[in-house]
Amino acid sequence: MSDAGAASAVAEAALLGIHGTDFIAAQAANRRNTWVLILLLILLGFALGYVIGWAIEAWGTADDRPVDILAVSGAGLLGGAVLSGIGLVSSAATLMAGDRIVLAMTGAGEVDATAEPTLHNVVEEMAIAAGLPKPKVVVIETDALNAFATGMKTDAATIGVTRGLLNTLPREQLQAVVAHEMGHVLNLDTRYMAAVGIMVGLIALVSDMALRSLRFGGRSSGSGSRKKGGGGAVIVLIILILFAILAPLAAQMVRFAVSRQREFLADATSVQLTRNPQGLIAALRSLGAGGKAPEIGNRAIQHLFIVNPLKDFATGGSALFATHPSLEERITRLQNLGKI
């Protein structure tokens, strides 16, 4: 890169709030950010369960006594514990079969070393660099340029690329993409994202059930029902409605934020494995120019690919709902690695 180009990259990074760092620091920062976001998601689930239990207590047991909205609700604590527990158990159950489901949804087929010697050689190189067993290698038969990784364990992972990517990228860029996917395996991103996805789905399901129950309860009680709990119960009901509407939206935003952090982490890991940031920079530019193929992705698995197969995302307000950082931001971070 020229001096002018380097200066431009640093200035652009500053505008994006990205400071000079190395890939080890980038990995550590992204791991911390990911755990903070996952903790926020668990707390959000607990809070939703608490509000539901609180509302049930306020409307189910109160008679003519006013409800003290400042008192800790025993039913609320129980609801929060139950919802968090269900989320954790469901996530654990999903981890048992998540990779098989993903492979079925991508339509990828396993290829052996005889059919794809270059791809197998690159995957083996990056597995050795990462200190991991060689993952299973699959190919999606499409002209689109993309790649993904799945697997709940580092010793039972799968790395997949599209036929278009395999036929288009030179070896250096293919190695960078495979190293990025190996980073997801090494950092257990697929396990994180499976757990996060289940928690988000559970929050959305419980919120929808709460709103439906309120509509059903409103029709059943009618206007002649006796007033319970005074104004406090009404306040609890309003809080429940607001929480049931906003919690799924907040959960999705946290899910996307986790996904974006894992992409940054995988990019940094790719550089760590290849020692060649220019390879991934060139690969991301090629992927950005490669077009989309909706048939290889859907909303359930779009976050698994190195670039979103359904939609391009830019910086700005809409980026809050993006599964991936913009290519511009990822390239800028890679250009900024190692700068002080």
Side-chain angles (χ1 to χ4, degrees):
M1 182 187 303
S2 65
D3 292 342
S8 175
V10 172
E12 190 175 9
L15 289 173
L16 293 170
I18 303 168
H19 304 292
T21 183
D22 58 74
F23 57 81
I24 297 296
Q27 289 174 325
N30 279 295
R31 285 194 181 96
R32 286 196 300 272
N33 292 339
T34 298
W35 280 112
V36 168
L37 291 169
I38 291 175
L39 179 61
L40 284 175
L41 197 58
I42 294 173
L43 291 176
L44 182 61
F46 182 89
L48 177 61
Y50 181 89
V51 173
I52 291 175
W54 187 28
I56 292 174
E57 184 180 67
W59 283 83
T61 62
D63 40 34
D64 293 332
R65 293 172 297 175
V67 172
D68 182 3
I69 63 172
L70 299 180
V72 176
S73 167
L77 293 176
L78 179 62
V82 168
L83 186 55
S84 298
I86 292 174
L88 294 175
V89 171
S90 300
S91 297
T94 300
L95 296 180
M96 303 295 292
D99 53 344
R100 293 193 295 274
I101 296 172
V102 168
L103 287 175
M105 294 177 77
T106 61
E110 186 171 2
V111 293
D112 60 27
T114 302
E116 299 296 342
T118 301
L119 177 59
H120 268 268
N121 181 254
V122 168
V123 171
E124 188 169 13
E125 283 180 349
M126 293 301 97
I128 292 172
L132 298 176
K134 182 183 174 184
K136 184 166 69 175
V137 181
V138 299
V139 171
I140 306 174
E141 297 297 341
T142 171
D143 291 334
L145 308 185
N146 223 317
F148 73 98
T150 186
M152 301 301 114
K153 298 178 181 178
T154 56
D155 59 355
T158 299
I159 287 181
V161 302
T162 62
R163 179 65 63 187
L165 183 139
L166 194 56
N167 291 339
T168 303
L169 297 193
R171 195 179 196 285
E172 180 187 47
Q173 295 182 29
L174 175 64
Q175 185 185 55
V177 171
V178 170
H180 171 98
E181 300 305 334
M182 194 68 70
H184 282 309
V185 176
L186 179 64
N187 298 318
L188 295 175
D189 291 345
T190 50
R191 183 183 298 181
Y192 284 127
M193 294 310 299
V196 168
I198 288 296
M199 201 68 192
V200 171
L202 182 63
I203 289 173
L205 177 64
V206 172
S207 296
D208 186 61
M209 290 174 61
L211 291 174
R212 289 176 183 272
S213 298
L214 288 174
R215 286 198 293 269
F216 178 78
R219 294 192 191 102
S220 299
S221 59
S223 60
S225 61
R226 64 192 177 100
K227 186 178 181 180
K228 292 182 177 183
V234 175
I235 293 174
V236 172
L237 181 61
I238 293 173
I239 292 175
L240 173 60
I241 293 173
L242 291 176
F243 218 88
I245 293 173
L246 297 178
L249 181 62
Q252 283 288 5
M253 291 176 65
V254 172
R255 178 189 184 187
F256 294 150
V258 172
S259 178
R260 294 193 297 272
Q261 291 295 326
R262 307 315 289 189
E263 291 303 320
F264 284 134
L265 178 58
D267 285 349
T269 305
S270 174
V271 175
Q272 181 184 11
L273 297 180
T274 64
R275 304 286 175 176
N276 179 19
Q278 294 305 320
L280 186 56
I281 290 172
L284 290 176
R285 286 176 173 151
S286 298
L287 292 169
K292 303 296 178 184
E295 69 270 19
I296 68 169
N298 59 51
R299 291 185 181 278
I301 59 172
Q302 60 182 326
H303 61 283
L304 294 178
F305 291 88
I306 187 171
V307 293
N308 191 300
L310 303 179
K311 186 177 179 182
D312 285 324
F313 294 102
T315 55
S318 62
L320 294 175
F321 299 93
T323 58
H324 292 65
S326 69
L327 289 176
E328 177 188 6
E329 186 174 0
R330 292 171 69 177
I331 290 171
T332 300
R333 286 203 179 203
L334 289 168
Q335 291 171 331
N336 210 35
L337 285 176
K339 294 186 174 65
I340 304 299

